Amino acid sequence: MIRLKRTHIDDQDFKDLVVSLNAELKTLDGEDHAFYQQFNGTKSLDHVLIAYVNDDPMACGALRSRNYKTMEIKRMFTASEARGQGLASIILHGLELWSKELGYLNCVLETGKRQKPAIELYKSQGYHQIPNYAPYIDVANSVCFGKEL
């Protein structure tokens, strides 16, 4: 059974998932990891969503307001043992719904070009590539996406 929990950055399950996410990104990003890590802190995140499978935290995502009409999706992650179950799509839809409930009109996000499964996920969920926004302008490994809600 899958259960979603709306929470905050101090949630221990979220913190644990972010540790796993950061470890995976360190491998994927290689030499670029230190650069990206500076933008992946959790202090500026406004809302956190966690997916539980049989009461185990298996996926997460978070939101932060970029401006009065746009939310940025951050810290999307699914534990390796839970991949292929659609949890990333469930988290993404949950974050979009939460954004709409809060009155936002758009969502944007950044991912690395080496993260091909993430890129495919976002495209399959109606996201289109947009120009890289700050702080990712002119960052060769970054690709940004957006979606009207």
Side-chain angles (χ1 to χ4, degrees):
M1 181 173 94
I2 297 171
R3 174 177 60 91
L4 294 179
K5 176 183 170 185
R6 288 181 176 185
T7 188
H8 48 80
I9 60 170
D10 294 324
D11 187 293
Q12 190 60 51
D13 290 336
F14 176 64
K15 290 179 179 181
D16 293 343
L17 286 166
V18 167
V19 167
S20 297
L21 168 60
N22 288 339
E24 186 171 299
L25 289 176
K26 186 174 184 179
T27 300
L28 284 171
D29 292 338
E31 294 177 6
D32 295 333
H33 184 69
F35 170 79
Y36 286 108
Q37 191 61 23
Q38 67 183 321
F39 306 120
N40 287 330
T42 58
K43 289 182 182 177
S44 66
L45 301 178
D46 302 312
H47 309 284
V48 171
L49 188 62
I50 300 172
Y52 292 83
V53 178
N54 300 325
D55 294 325
D56 295 320
M58 290 292 165
C60 65
L63 295 167
R64 87 166 154 210
S65 179
R66 286 199 57 85
N67 59 47
Y68 70 97
K69 66 179 182 175
T70 303
M71 275 287 201
E72 182 178 20
I73 295 173
K74 300 290 289 180
R75 312 283 51 205
M76 286 285 295
F77 178 71
T78 301
S80 59
E81 63 270 25
R83 292 182 183 161
Q85 299 179 34
L87 293 177
S89 295
I90 291 169
I91 289 285
L92 190 59
H93 289 167
L95 292 172
E96 291 169 355
L97 177 63
W98 204 352
S99 296
K100 283 199 289 192
E101 288 173 7
L102 293 167
Y104 290 85
L105 305 174
N106 309 291
C107 283
V108 297
L109 59 92
E110 179 275 341
T111 193
K113 289 182 179 178
R114 296 179 196 114
Q115 298 171 5
K116 304 234 183 271
I119 291 170
E120 291 306 312
L121 167 72
Y122 301 133
K123 287 181 178 179
S124 75
Q125 300 301 312
Y127 284 77
H128 59 278
Q129 190 170 345
I130 60 174
N132 285 10
Y133 53 84
Y136 307 106
I137 297 169
D138 297 325
V139 177
N141 187 45
S142 288
V143 59
C144 294
F145 289 92
K147 180 179 180 179
E148 285 186 33
L149 302 174

